[in-house]
Amino acid sequence: MHYDARKNDHGLEFDPMKAIVAPRPIGWISTLNEQGGVNLAPYSFFNLVSYRPHYVMFSSHGRKDSLRNAEREGEFVCSVATLHLFDEVNKTGASVASHIDEMELARLEPTPSRLVKPPRVAKSPASLECRTHQTVELPAANEQSEPYYMVIGEVIGVYIDDKVLKGGRYSSDMVKALGRLGYFDYTVAGAFSNPDSVN
């Protein structure tokens, strides 16, 4: 089949786009609200976008709490969402009032970051401390829909649990990071080595 992505006239029961562009890492974004409380939310539109300097991005459909907080405070943290924290990740994805602390809601322990004010998730094996660089507004599909906002942050600090370092490398097999597939499907990241690769 072939269809016009602008018209989205694929004729399928569900839009296949997010299933095609998969797996997508989940950015578990923590920010601080105006009162200094913690906001924590998972974003499946998330990725590393450059190397040296390191920049990451997450994309928000509409001006959600994470976006507003990251813009106002100029900082956010991305903790790695893992298989053993799957239930907690889902709980923090609930739509709740902006003053609700999602870490507390999911019974997660926050722990201080080194270079930014928002805390990281203590149980997460790795976290990226980010300084908000820029927000890019992407055009809405139509007048009735909200636009997406891409928040780009420079990674200024990195935490890694020593337990997931193996042979001088960050072990994806040990971490078991969650990835989002299409629809309501997820996957877990694991290493695959190409025997012909020199890297």
Side-chain angles (χ1 to χ4, degrees):
M1 68 176 292
H2 184 277
Y3 69 94
D4 188 326
R6 297 160 297 182
K7 297 177 182 176
N8 218 29
D9 57 354
H10 45 73
L12 300 172
E13 184 179 359
F14 300 104
D15 189 342
M17 182 59 72
K18 288 188 282 187
I20 294 169
V21 184
R24 300 184 308 281
I26 297 173
W28 212 5
I29 308 298
S30 56
T31 56
L32 295 179
N33 63 27
E34 289 179 300
Q35 293 74 39
V38 178
N39 177 265
L40 178 65
Y43 286 84
S44 67
F45 290 135
F46 167 83
N47 221 316
L48 178 71
V49 294
S50 74
Y51 183 69
R52 292 186 181 172
H54 306 295
Y55 282 91
V56 294
M57 76 84 193
F58 70 93
S59 181
S60 171
H61 188 205
R63 297 191 60 81
K64 294 181 180 175
D65 294 336
S66 300
L67 164 67
R68 292 195 302 268
N69 294 341
E71 287 182 332
R72 186 187 60 255
E73 301 297 323
E75 298 175 333
F76 64 91
V77 173
C78 175
S79 296
V80 174
T82 65
L83 178 62
H84 80 280
L85 293 170
F86 182 77
D87 289 339
E88 289 86 347
V89 171
N90 272 334
K91 286 176 184 175
T92 61
S95 295
V96 296
S98 59
H99 68 277
I100 299 296
D101 184 331
E102 286 89 353
M103 279 205 197
E104 188 175 299
L105 186 70
R107 298 187 177 183
L108 289 164
E109 180 187 347
T111 194
S113 299
R114 292 280 183 91
L115 302 177
V116 297
K117 291 179 183 176
R120 60 182 173 84
V121 176
K123 286 185 177 180
S124 176
S127 296
L128 309 176
E129 300 177 13
C130 302
R131 182 179 294 134
T132 306
H133 171 70
Q134 182 181 2
T135 300
V136 178
E137 181 178 344
L138 303 173
N142 53 58
E143 292 181 0
Q144 288 74 41
S145 64
E146 291 188 275
Y148 276 85
Y149 297 89
M150 182 172 61
V151 181
I152 301 168
E154 180 184 4
V155 180
I156 62 171
V158 178
Y159 162 79
I160 303 174
D161 187 333
D162 291 338
K163 293 175 185 174
V164 300
L165 294 174
K166 186 177 179 181
R169 294 186 178 191
Y170 177 83
S171 174
S172 297
D173 286 338
M174 293 176 71
V175 170
K176 297 185 176 0
L178 287 173
R180 187 70 189 268
L181 301 175
Y183 319 114
F184 294 102
D185 300 329
Y186 293 83
T187 188
V188 176
F192 173 80
S193 297
N194 179 354
D196 298 324
S197 174
V198 294
N199 297 321

